[in-house]
Amino acid sequence: MTDPADPTAAEPTVDEPAEPEESTSSPGDHVPYEPEGNSGNQQFQDYKQNTGYPYSYEEYDQLPGYQQCGTACGQEKTSGETQRQWLCEQGITTEGC
């Protein structure tokens, strides 16, 4: 008859979580924005129709940041939106918060 295996050398159990895996992404990696609800193109088309936004979905990525509509049309947050959020958080402005 053999002795049972040493319980301290066993695989982690439900009570003992395994060590977290290290992330393979770096800060420079681009993570695409996934809008909730409508598909990105449909939300963009709705925004374009409602506001008269002059650019197409296909040319959007080629536009300079100040011409992009950002989260308003289901796209990635623009630098202007990030700046406004920071200003609101600091209490510097209340416009658009």
Side-chain angles (χ1 to χ4, degrees):
M1 203 159 145
T2 60
D3 292 329
D6 181 9
T8 59
E11 293 291 322
T13 64
V14 175
D15 296 335
E16 299 173 11
E19 291 186 27
E21 295 179 13
E22 290 187 30
S23 173
T24 57
S25 64
S26 65
D29 289 349
H30 173 70
V31 178
Y33 174 74
E34 293 290 334
E36 295 179 16
N38 291 342
S39 70
N41 189 18
Q42 182 60 47
Q43 191 170 355
F44 183 92
Q45 295 305 326
D46 292 346
Y47 176 83
K48 184 175 180 177
Q49 181 178 4
N50 294 337
T51 64
Y53 188 68
Y55 304 104
S56 72
Y57 190 74
E58 291 75 25
E59 66 186 336
Y60 184 82
D61 289 334
Q62 304 303 318
L63 295 171
Y66 70 94
Q67 292 179 333
Q68 296 181 357
C69 55
T71 57
C73 63
Q75 301 296 321
E76 189 174 315
K77 186 184 286 190
T78 65
S79 61
E81 290 174 318
T82 302
Q83 291 170 2
R84 180 179 312 276
Q85 179 184 357
W86 184 85
L87 291 170
C88 291
E89 289 171 358
Q90 300 302 312
I92 296 171
T93 187
T94 58
E95 185 180 334
C97 297

